[in-house]
Amino acid sequence: MPLYQAAIKAIKESGAIVKMSADDIFSAIEDHCKDGVDFITVHCGVTRSAIARLKEQGRITDVVSRGGAFTVGWILHNEQENPLYQYYNRLLEIAHRYDVTLSLGDGMRPGCLADATDHAQVEELLILGELVQRAWKAGVQVMVEGPGHIPLNQIETNVKLQKSICKGAPFYVLGPLVTDIGAGYDHITGAIGGAIAAMYGADSSATLHLPNTSPCRMLKTSAKVLLLPVSRAMLPILPRASKAPWIGISKWRTPAKHWIGKHRQN
């Protein structure tokens, strides 16, 4: 996340994140690319129009994305458009030069079930759909980060909406988390949401937990266990779930497909 590096520099030199310049942001991005990273997360879809939608509708948890919150604060303080959106061509030029994939961050993702699929989230997604196509035209690979807290009955809608608006671009969902009362148990709530999202065509899932290998193993095992019964019940859907030719799928979907093949033979 190059924005974090730019934010730290702004605090040290100017005393506040909102005092970083557009050049500071792009300098941090180029530094990361020079260092050899394969992809960077950039919150290009957090724009003045998305903030206006947020203000109009209101939310319980407002902006829970750290990068999204930094960007919102910068826009409101400076009364200017998000530099990553305004100068998107500059970002594409850097990404193309260093062969770096852009992960278009979900800065307006919902932080609780009551905020899911609201105006701000959808407004950002519409912007990201535009930016996906601009990236492809510039020869830059791109993936789209997806929402966090989503009720079970809205996961299908969110995946299909993203796939339609973003023309099949890889969809990287943050869980999704299907409850607001599972703090510290993302390996369970995220596995539930991730299994269902994968069934409808999401391409990768991520959750937040303590930084050691044990939760990662639990997440992988939970996802496998949950995906198998869901997949067996929905076998006719899976072959149609993902049609983009170069989508990378999360590792735990591979053994699940292997299991499904065995069940078909039986």
Side-chain angles (χ1 to χ4, degrees):
M1 184 77 73
L3 185 64
Y4 296 170
Q5 180 179 326
I8 291 170
K9 179 181 177 182
I11 292 172
K12 289 181 178 179
E13 295 182 355
S14 306
I17 293 173
V18 294
K19 293 185 179 180
M20 62 184 169
S21 66
D23 286 338
D24 290 334
I25 296 171
F26 284 103
S27 177
I29 289 171
E30 187 148 15
D31 285 345
H32 279 226
C33 294
K34 285 179 180 177
D35 286 342
V37 300
D38 295 311
F39 78 95
I40 54 173
T41 298
V42 281
H43 292 88
C44 306
V46 178
T47 63
R48 301 183 83 172
S49 64
I51 294 173
R53 291 288 189 181
L54 177 63
K55 288 182 175 180
E56 288 170 7
Q57 185 175 21
R59 270 185 174 180
I60 293 176
T61 55
D62 291 327
V63 179
V64 298
S65 161
R66 183 183 291 108
F70 287 177
T71 305
V72 169
W74 190 95
I75 292 171
L76 295 176
H77 177 82
N78 294 284
E79 298 183 341
Q80 296 179 30
E81 186 55 274
N82 179 358
L84 294 175
Y85 178 75
Q86 185 173 1
Y87 306 113
Y88 188 62
N89 286 339
R90 181 177 177 182
L91 175 62
L92 293 178
E93 190 277 326
I94 294 172
H96 187 271
R97 189 189 330 146
Y98 293 98
D99 192 22
V100 169
T101 297
L102 298 181
S103 175
L104 299 179
D106 191 12
M108 290 292 183
R109 67 175 178 265
C112 66
L113 300 186
D115 293 338
T117 325
D118 66 354
H119 294 178
Q121 179 191 332
V122 174
E123 175 72 16
E124 181 183 31
L125 182 58
L126 291 170
I127 295 167
L128 296 184
E130 166 205 331
L131 299 182
V132 163
Q133 296 189 66
R134 288 176 60 185
W136 285 341
K137 288 180 181 178
V140 174
Q141 293 194 74
V142 64
M143 54 185 169
V144 178
E145 190 178 281
H149 291 248
I150 297 291
L152 281 169
N153 64 347
Q154 292 185 26
I155 294 176
E156 177 184 3
T157 297
N158 272 264
V159 173
K160 291 184 176 180
L161 187 63
Q162 186 276 344
K163 287 294 181 179
S164 176
I165 291 173
C166 298
K167 306 302 180 184
F171 194 24
Y172 158 46
V173 292
L174 302 180
L177 305 182
V178 296
T179 178
D180 296 333
I181 59 172
Y185 295 90
D186 283 13
H187 61 291
I188 296 175
T189 59
I192 295 170
I196 296 173
M199 180 176 66
Y200 289 112
D203 305 291
S204 181
S205 175
T207 60
L208 176 65
H209 210 295
L210 298 176
N212 58 55
T213 58
S214 180
C216 295
R217 287 195 296 269
M218 285 191 292
L219 171 60
K220 186 175 181 179
T221 302
S222 301
K224 285 180 179 178
V225 171
L226 286 162
L227 184 58
L228 179 58
V230 172
S231 300
R232 291 183 65 186
M234 301 297 288
L235 285 176
I237 292 178
L238 282 175
R240 303 194 303 271
S242 181
K243 298 180 180 179
W246 55 280
I247 283 176
I249 61 175
S250 53
K251 293 181 180 178
W252 51 262
R253 284 180 64 187
T254 303
K257 287 187 174 183
H258 178 65
W259 298 338
I260 293 168
K262 286 186 176 180
H263 286 296
R264 282 176 173 165
Q265 294 172 3
N266 296 334

